[in-house]
Amino acid sequence: MKPTRLLAPALAGALIAAMTSGPALAASTPSLGGTGTTDSAPAATDSAPAADETSPATDGSSPAVGEGSPTPSDGSPDVKDSAPAATDDALVVSRNAGTTTKTYSVASAKLKALKLDDSSVTIIGASWKGKDPELEIRYQDDSGWSSWEEMPVDDGAGPDETSAEGRQMPAQENGTEAVPVVDSTAVEIRPGTSGKGTKDLSVTTVATKVTAADAAVTKKPASVTAQGVKAQVSHHELKANIVTRKEWGADEKLVRCKTDKTTTSKGVFIHHTAGSNSYTKSQAPAIIRGYLAFHTKERGWCDLGYNFLVDKYGTIYEGRAGSIDLSVTGAHASGFNSYTIGISVLGTYTGSAPSTAAQNSVKRLIAWKANQYAFNPTGKMTLTSGGGSTSRYPEGRKVSLNVVSGHRDTSYTACPGNAFYSRLGAIRSGAKAMQSDVGGYPTKGAIGTYYRAHSSQTGEARSVEGKLSNPNGAYQRFAKGTVYWSSKTGAHLNKGGIRNGYQRAGYTKGFLGFPSSDEKAFKYRKSAYYQNFANGMITWSSQTKGQPMRGEMLKKWKALGWERSSLGLPKSSEFASAGKTRQNFEHGYMTYTKKDGVKVYVK
């Protein structure tokens, strides 16, 4: 018989109280399209039919849960499809891009087998009110049934309760962790002896097909040297490939709300998703898609809980949106999400540590973020607890922790598993040693504030912040340009063709001084731009390139109508000609002398 197919996540051990939130979420979050349910279908979904088809299963094609499923004499359950016999067994189905969610409501004593598609990855969980029914689970594949295993109870990961994300969540019931199941044709759940009287059990499954795109994206190497690969981001700083949300197939329509962000990150929490490590490369993206659907639809989180995920092959995946460039608050360590980064390795690591490839990818991620946010991987950090029922520390308590900590350090959970936890010392020292091999530069102060608001325009930092004098200010190079700051002008990005003109003008020490605005498009000239400076302006078009203007000639040009003037845009900077200062334009030129002022000559 093959090893068990359990892949239960320990996202703070909480990937599942979600099971309960099928109905609760639909009722409390109409923005997700909650269509409501009839009396015979108490389990609701959270999506409008247009984007997320939702309907009770009445065609007899759904798997059986509840009475009406006979049990063969060998004790193995019959998994043939049959409609639930009792009204409280009604099944509601919701479909999103790439995922199908089914919710069953049933008394625990009526639990039977669920038929699964072994070509899909299925995430399964349960929830209830009141006493824990002590659920157990087993799996069927071509070799037969696995042994019964405890279905781990949710230990409360998720958003900090006092955060904006936490406040928007529906009320959560008790439940199990989310359990990813692979290569199985059926699954059966049963209650323990004390749980057979539970009458308000909900069971939810999220099935995700493994696609050809999954196989293609995971064939790419985890590390790169110089050039990137088409299907993944070859991150300049990380010097490794990151499989983006687009590449692993994230359904962005599932994102429920805007996630919180902080000005910096102080450290990292290490997680495992728990369960079997028998998944294949191509199944890993499907597992992550299932988590996205589960975290948002069933738990009510804004987005996927982790900032980054790593599979056993060393492939790095972008988790919560925005985490590549910004300090995005996750939902991975309840009470301690703010100012931290959540990295989770797919699999369970209680008896054995993750693969060398996976550990090296975790080290590289930490080294990169340590450079980006200027923290020491082998140092300490002080965090303030956000509290919560699963946190080891009450709200408001200041806690000193390792900069690279395990989830169990702040929550009542075994995550990231004993074997992985014992490797955290080596992870810390390895990440510190790797800092010199990766990029990543801290952004701080006014330039950092500008970067966080305009990261899509700037790209990632490519240098540390530099100081400028005469005039005083600062600058920092980014992937798409340079951000300059002075107390008088504020922080602004200088890039592209306008930057070429700025170079010719002498940058900050030239006659223009610091940028006083971002680049702007001319109102009446298509594909032409300008940027204001403390002492002038630079204009740009593909025909005229970047040309600086200042003083009396700039004033005259503005008076003539800017880009609509009879002169058009400047084609040169100022230059001396016959004892005068001259500047050429598309349709003429200007001259200036102190005696005669500005003269305009139109062709």
Side-chain angles (χ1 to χ4, degrees), residues 477-531:
R477 291 190 295 274
F478 290 82
K480 299 179 182 179
T482 298
V483 176
Y484 291 91
W485 172 87
S486 76
S487 59
K488 292 183 179 180
T489 59
H492 300 285
L493 175 66
N494 178 245
K495 63 178 182 177
I498 288 179
R499 180 158 180 76
N500 293 335
Y502 194 35
Q503 179 185 27
R504 294 198 306 274
Y507 292 129
T508 57
K509 293 187 179 299
F511 59 81
L512 290 173
F514 283 86
S516 58
S517 78
D518 288 342
E519 183 179 288
K520 300 179 180 181
F522 280 115
K523 185 175 181 180
Y524 301 106
R525 178 74 175 262
K526 186 178 181 181
S527 302
Y529 306 88
Y530 70 95
Q531 185 167 19

Side-chain angles (χ1 to χ4, degrees), residues 207-230:
T208 307
K209 285 285 188 183
V210 179
T211 68
D214 295 332
V217 75
T218 53
K219 285 181 180 178
K220 303 298 181 181
S223 61
V224 295
T225 52
Q227 297 300 316
V229 293
K230 291 181 180 179

Side-chain angles (χ1 to χ4, degrees), residues 28 86 183 194 339 354 457 546 558:
S28 61
D183 301 331
S194 62
Y339 298 99
Q457 287 80 42
K558 288 181 176 180

Side-chain angles (χ1 to χ4, degrees), residues 129-367:
K129 293 179 181 178
K131 188 177 179 181
D132 177 8
E134 300 177 353
L135 298 178
E136 295 180 327
I137 190 169
R138 66 174 179 170
Y139 316 89
Q140 186 183 54
D141 59 22
D142 293 341
S143 302
W145 285 93
S146 69
S147 58
W148 287 100
E149 298 178 6
E150 178 185 358
M151 208 169 177
V153 175
D154 168 28
D155 59 6
D160 296 347
E161 292 182 2
T162 56
S163 69
E165 182 175 4
R167 292 192 297 271
Q168 63 81 43
M169 288 171 54
Q172 300 292 291
E173 296 178 354
N174 299 317
T176 67
E177 293 183 3
V179 180
V181 180
V182 298
D183 301 331
S184 295
T185 56
V187 63
E188 185 182 17
I189 298 173
R190 71 180 183 186
T193 303
S194 62
K196 292 183 178 180
T198 302
K199 299 182 183 298
D200 58 357
L201 191 69
S202 288
V203 176
T204 297
T205 64
V206 179
T208 307
K209 285 285 188 183
V210 179
T211 68
D214 295 332
V217 75
T218 53
K219 285 181 180 178
K220 303 298 181 181
S223 61
V224 295
T225 52
Q227 297 300 316
V229 293
K230 291 181 180 179
Q232 294 172 306
V233 170
S234 174
H235 202 277
H236 173 84
E237 299 173 355
L238 186 60
K239 297 183 181 177
N241 288 320
I242 301 176
V243 179
T244 65
R245 289 169 65 91
K246 181 178 180 180
E247 293 302 331
W248 57 255
D251 180 1
E252 300 298 351
K253 292 180 181 179
L254 289 171
V255 176
R256 303 183 62 251
C257 45
K258 187 176 180 179
T259 54
D260 299 326
K261 297 179 179 65
T262 53
T263 56
T264 190
S265 291
K266 296 182 178 182
V268 176
F269 279 103
I270 301 299
H271 305 263
H272 69 170
T273 57
S276 170
N277 303 331
S278 62
Y279 59 87
T280 65
K281 277 189 176 184
S282 59
Q283 287 172 332
I287 292 170
I288 297 171
R289 287 196 299 276
Y291 283 148
L292 172 60
F294 202 92
H295 292 176
T296 54
K297 295 180 67 175
E298 303 305 319
R299 292 192 60 78
W301 300 351
C302 288
D303 196 352
L304 185 65
Y306 301 115
N307 298 102
F308 296 93
L309 298 100
V310 177
D311 67 24
K312 65 181 181 180
Y313 306 99
T315 307
I316 300 170
Y317 299 86
E318 177 188 10
R320 182 161 284 210
S323 297
I324 291 177
D325 294 321
L326 301 175
S327 181
V328 175
T329 302
H332 57 89
S334 184
F336 292 87
N337 291 303
S338 292
Y339 298 99
T340 64
I341 301 161
I343 301 173
S344 188
V345 179
L346 299 179
T348 186
Y349 301 105
T350 299
S352 59
S355 67
T356 299
Q359 291 188 54
N360 286 341
S361 290
V362 171
K363 293 173 188 176
R364 186 170 290 274
L365 274 170
I366 295 170

